[in-house]
Amino acid sequence: MSDTPICSAKGCRVDAVWVLAWNNPKIHTPERRKTWLACDEHREHLSKFLGVRGMLKDVVTLREWESTKPTDAPGPGTPG
């Protein structure tokens, strides 16, 4: 199994390029950030899905996300 992060879109097995940081304000504190990963093809679709629900907080490249997160922080996840 590869350690390369893959897109969170259902059925997609393409390498991730983007991190979509989000939270559900109904259940998460304002500073909490959950993450989905996206390839170039699915970035807009996943962003719109979260955006229309008022949950999308930020979209950054995976490289940028990895360079700014604390070393003990968990990596980006997949949709639940």
Side-chain angles (χ1 to χ4, degrees), residues 62-76:
L62 180 58
R63 179 174 289 162
E64 181 181 353
W65 180 268
E66 290 177 337
S67 70
T68 60
K69 74 175 182 173
T71 56
D72 62 342

Side-chain angles (χ1 to χ4, degrees), residues 23-72:
N23 85 2
N24 182 338
K26 293 179 181 179
I27 60 174
H28 299 130
T29 59
E31 66 279 353
R32 171 101 188 257
R33 291 295 180 266
K34 297 189 62 92
T35 56
W36 283 359
L37 300 176
C39 63
D40 283 330
E41 181 180 348
H42 292 113
R43 174 188 170 196
E44 184 176 347
H45 171 75
L46 293 173
S47 293
K48 283 183 180 179
F49 179 89
L50 293 168
V52 298
R53 290 160 177 80
M55 296 191 293
L56 185 63
K57 302 301 177 191
D58 201 8
V59 178
V60 297
T61 65
L62 180 58
R63 179 174 289 162
E64 181 181 353
W65 180 268
E66 290 177 337
S67 70
T68 60
K69 74 175 182 173
T71 56
D72 62 342

Side-chain angles (χ1 to χ4, degrees), residues 5-22:
I6 60 167
C7 181
S8 298
K10 185 175 183 177
C12 186
R13 307 315 296 163
V14 175
D15 290 352
V17 179
W18 300 96
V19 174
L20 287 66
W22 63 278

